[in-house]
Structure formats: C-alpha cells, structure tokens
Amino acid sequence: MHAGRITHSRRHSYTGAPFFAAMSALRLGADLSHVICAPTAAQAIKSYSPDLIVHPILCDDAPQDKVRQELDSILARLHVLVLGPGLGRETYMQHYARTALVLARARAMFVVLDADALWMVGQELALVRGYRRAVLTPNVVEFQRLCDAVGVGEGEPGGRAAGVSRRLGGVVVLEKGAKDVVACDTTGEAAAAREVVEVDVEGGLKRCGGQGDVLSGCVGTMLAWGKCYEGGAFGCVSFLFLRVGCAEGDRDGTLAVSRLPILAAIGGSMVTRTSSRRAFLVEGRAVVTEDMIPQLGKAFAEIFDGKKV
C-alpha cells in the first residue's frame, strides 16, 4: 500500500511540524511519506530522517505554472494530502497551499487540513465547502476562528462542531480538546444525517506542542487505508467501523465510502491520545512530541488488536 502525504514548511523554525506529521504517518503504517516544502526547510527536514521523501519545490520566485505542474505530478502518486503543519501565512506559501488543495480536489483525494491551512480556509470557505473527503482538525483557537467565519454560536443543534460541519457542507470537523469532538452534519440535504462522536480515550497528563501534527499524520494514514479500501483492497478499514460502532446495517463487512473520513478522524484521535498517555508513562513531565512517535504502532495494537505491548 502506498499511503502518501504532503506537508508544507515555511522556514527553518517551522521544520518540526511537517516532520512530526510525516513521520507519524510512517510510524502508524504508511508505506511512503512525502514532504513538499520550501528549499530553506528541506535540508533540515532531510536531516531528521532518511525515511522521508522531501520535495523542495516551493520557491517564492519560481514560475507558478511550473510549481503547479510539479505539485500535480507528485499528487498523482499519492493517496492523501495533509496540508497545514509548518505552512505559515506568507503570501506565496498560502498560494501554493490553495493550488495543492484545488489539485487534490480535482483528483478526489482525501484531505486533512490543520494549522495555517485552517486559517486559509477561514479566508476562503469555498475551498472546502461541500468537499466531504476533507477532515479539519482545529485546536481551540482555530476552532473559534472557524466558528466566527461560518457564523456558529452557542446552542447549535448537535453542538458547535456539528454546526461548523453543516455550514461547510458536511466536511468532517475534529475539534481538539480535553475530549476530542468529531462531527459530520449534512442536515438540510436530501440524504441528511448528523453524527457526533466524543472521543474520551485517556491521553497523557502533558499535552506536547506538536501533538496536533502527530494527529494530522495519523488521520492521514487512516484515510490512505480508506483510499485503498475504496479502490478494492480489504482488511485495513474493517477494524475501525467495528470498534467505533457504525450502523448495524454496515456490519456485513461492507462500509460506505462516505463514512471513511469520520472513522479515520475518530481512529486517528484514539491512537494519538493513547500514544500521548503511553509516552507520558515512560518520560513523565519531560515528555516531548518526539517521544510520542515510537508509541504510535503500540497504541494502535493496544486499541485495535487488544494487545498490551
């Protein structure tokens, strides 16, 4: 299986976020993990791990058509686009992020949007509105910004995460917090449905600054497995809907493709929180994001295989 990923970095000080996201995707089970970044960030990211495939093509002075062609060529080989970790808000990086998202939508790729990609979405809601193969993973500040952008307040039916999902046309929203809230709401449409899941799996007693990047990588890998399932491969997805509890009518071994994004978001949340707990048990208050990554495979085995590793 080829589970691909793309992340963006702005400068050397932002090389940690794309590394954490890309390496988490690998450690959870992706075969290949790509990082697309600015040339100033490439050397640092390459030095972190030889397992990452780094494409330093995002130059501020490069011909835009040339970069677009290179982006499209890379995306053609991948399953999933993870956009946002280390992106920054410089005009040229935001332009490339928009281009990558448009290209991914044209290819019907699954997409994870985090960090400054969420800021980009807040400036132009049409980028994701109605695209139900997208998962948004906002923290508390990013979530409030999205609520303001779409006009969601207190008292929303199903909660604020469901309200944001509904106003964005049914995209999946993973609201990070003490308990993660995952919502998908298509109320008001022909095939209306609202699903809100609160993930209260125990996490660590310290939340590292890069934990959101780990989460985006984990969700990306699970979506890549979903893409393989959609393409006819079996085995990697069934554990998810059986564990998180899908409709009784789906327990015959089949799964609607429309449910893959919400299940991937729930599964990614569960694995990330469990890896945080496991890392804290080892390192205590000294734990950092890098300590979580070796725990991802063990967290997966603990949750979905029932193994105490």
Side-chain angles (χ1 to χ4, degrees):
M1 183 196 70
H2 222 51
R5 97 147 19 264
I6 169 176
T7 55
H8 292 69
S9 180
R10 183 172 72 174
R11 54 170 71 96
H12 281 291
S13 61
Y14 277 33
T15 57
F19 167 74
F20 290 141
M23 185 54 68
S24 295
L26 279 180
R27 286 292 193 176
L28 187 58
D31 281 356
L32 295 176
S33 194
H34 297 246
V35 179
I36 300 180
C37 62
T40 53
Q43 186 172 355
I45 295 173
K46 285 181 179 180
S47 71
Y48 297 154
S49 172
D51 291 300
L52 301 179
I53 302 170
V54 181
H55 306 271
I57 65 172
L58 305 181
C59 305
D60 58 348
D61 57 352
Q64 294 185 0
D65 288 345
K66 180 175 182 294
V67 175
R68 181 187 179 91
Q69 291 174 6
E70 291 178 317
L71 280 171
D72 197 37
S73 175
I74 295 169
L75 291 178
R77 293 174 268 157
L78 309 181
H79 287 131
V80 178
L81 167 68
V82 177
L83 192 60
L87 173 62
R89 299 182 186 177
E90 292 183 358
T91 301
Y92 80 99
M93 290 299 291
Q94 287 284 313
H95 171 78
Y96 288 143
R98 286 184 179 86
T99 299
L101 182 52
V102 169
L103 291 172
R105 289 191 60 163
R107 291 186 173 277
M109 295 177 68
F110 288 112
V111 177
V112 183
L113 298 166
D114 188 37
D116 282 324
L118 296 173
W119 183 85
M120 175 186 72
V121 166
Q123 307 302 304
E124 191 176 347
L125 298 175
L127 286 171
V128 297
R129 180 171 276 139
Y131 191 62
R132 297 181 186 172
R133 298 170 78 86
V135 177
L136 280 57
T137 61
N139 61 25
V140 62
V141 174
E142 294 158 349
F143 182 70
Q144 184 59 55
R145 191 182 296 130
L146 283 173
C147 287
D148 294 341
V150 300
V152 166
E154 299 297 335
E156 284 285 330
R160 292 202 300 164
V164 172
S165 172
R166 184 167 57 254
R167 284 167 172 76
L168 288 177
V171 303
V172 171
V173 176
L174 196 173
E175 177 191 358
K176 295 178 285 195
K179 296 179 180 179
D180 294 342
V181 178
V182 185
C184 180
D185 193 334
T186 59
T187 303
E189 301 185 13
R194 177 188 298 140
E195 188 169 3
V196 181
V197 177
E198 190 175 84
V199 181
D200 58 359
V201 172
E202 183 183 359
L205 296 179
K206 174 184 174 184
R207 191 188 187 284
C208 301
Q211 186 166 323
D213 304 315
V214 173
L215 173 64
S216 65
C218 289
V219 175
T221 290
M222 292 199 173
L223 284 171
W225 291 337
K227 183 69 173 178
C228 291
Y229 173 87
E230 181 183 28
F234 297 92
C236 291
V237 176
S238 59
F239 71 86
L240 278 173
F241 72 90
L242 289 175
R243 287 286 184 174
V244 303
C246 68
E248 289 295 327
D250 291 334
R251 292 183 180 274
D252 61 353
T254 62
L255 179 65
V257 172
S258 61
R259 289 183 49 77
L260 294 177
I262 192 168
L263 296 181
I266 295 167
S269 172
M270 293 170 69
V271 168
T272 302
R273 295 172 70 94
T274 301
S275 67
S276 174
R277 172 181 58 80
R278 294 178 63 99
F280 187 86
L281 289 175
V282 175
E283 301 294 343
R285 69 189 64 190
V287 68
V288 294
T289 306
E290 197 167 5
D291 299 320
M292 293 178 57
I293 295 176
Q295 297 294 334
L296 290 171
K298 298 172 184 176
F300 180 96
E302 177 182 328
I303 296 168
F304 299 116
D305 296 335
K307 296 179 180 177
K308 294 293 183 181
V309 182

